[in-house]
Amino acid sequence: MWSAITASDVESALSGPELEAYRRVAGTSAGANDDKLAAVIAQVTDEIRSHIEDCPENRLGAAGMLPERCHFHAVVMVRQRLMNRLGLKINESRETEHKNALRFFERVSECKVKIESPDAGDIVTEAPLPQIETITGNVAQASREKLKGLY
C-alpha cells in the first residue's frame, strides 16, 4: 500500500530529547515547525520516488506517496535532514541508520530491492523520453556523383 509520510510519522521517530530540541529550535509557533518539516518531507519523498523510478521494473504511485516498505527508511532520512537543518547533534546510531537508509535506496535504484506496485488506478505514467537517433560510422554522405559539378 502506498501512502504519504506525515509529520506524526517523523515525530514518532524522534526521541523525547530530540523532539524537545526540534520544537525549541524550529520555532515557537506550530506553523514554523510544520513548514520546515513539510519542506523536508517533500524533498525526501521526491528523492525516494526518483530512486524508485530509476529501476525500470518499478511503477510510481500517486504524487507524494511512497510504498509501505520505504516508510521506515524515508522517516530516517527526514529525521536526519531535519536535525542537520536545525543544527542539532546526531548520535552515532542515528548516523548508522541514515547510512543504511541511503544504501537501501541505492539498492532500490539498482533493482535489487523489490518495490510493491501501487494500485492499478494510482499508477503514474510518465511521458516517454524523446528518442535520439545515433549515427555511427564514418560513411561519406557526399560524393562526386551526388554533387554533380559542385566538386
Side-chain angles (χ1 to χ4, degrees):
M1 184 168 140
W2 286 55
S3 59
I5 300 295
T6 64
S8 62
D9 293 335
V10 177
E11 289 178 359
S12 69
L14 296 172
S15 68
E18 286 173 335
L19 186 57
E20 286 178 31
Y22 158 66
R23 288 181 175 151
R24 185 180 64 249
V25 173
T28 54
S29 70
N33 288 341
D34 293 343
D35 290 345
K36 287 179 175 137
L37 183 53
V40 174
I41 290 172
Q43 178 187 44
V44 169
T45 299
D46 288 344
E47 182 179 333
I48 292 169
R49 288 174 59 84
S50 295
H51 284 290
I52 293 169
E53 191 175 28
D54 283 345
C55 176
E57 298 170 10
N58 294 330
R59 299 291 170 260
L60 286 178
M65 302 294 182
L66 295 175
E68 230 21 76
R69 183 168 192 183
C70 295
H71 275 235
F72 171 77
H73 298 294
V75 169
V76 166
M77 289 178 65
V78 170
R79 180 183 62 208
Q80 182 84 3
R81 290 196 185 161
L82 185 64
M83 293 293 133
N84 284 338
R85 189 174 191 180
L86 298 174
L88 299 172
K89 187 175 176 341
I90 300 165
N91 66 32
E92 190 175 323
S93 67
R94 297 290 200 206
E95 288 287 346
T96 302
E97 280 183 337
H98 184 249
K99 287 177 186 173
N100 290 339
L102 292 175
R103 181 65 190 130
F104 174 81
F105 291 116
E106 286 172 9
R107 294 188 64 204
V108 168
S109 292
E110 297 164 353
C111 298
K112 293 181 179 177
V113 174
K114 177 83 172 125
I115 296 297
E116 68 185 85
S117 291
D119 294 333
D122 293 335
I123 293 177
V124 175
T125 54
E126 299 295 325
L129 296 175
Q131 299 297 314
I132 299 172
E133 183 181 347
T134 304
I135 300 173
T136 59
N138 199 10
V139 179
Q141 299 294 321
S143 67
R144 287 180 191 245
E145 279 78 41
K146 290 181 181 176
L147 295 177
K148 298 226 188 221
L150 294 175
Y151 191 75

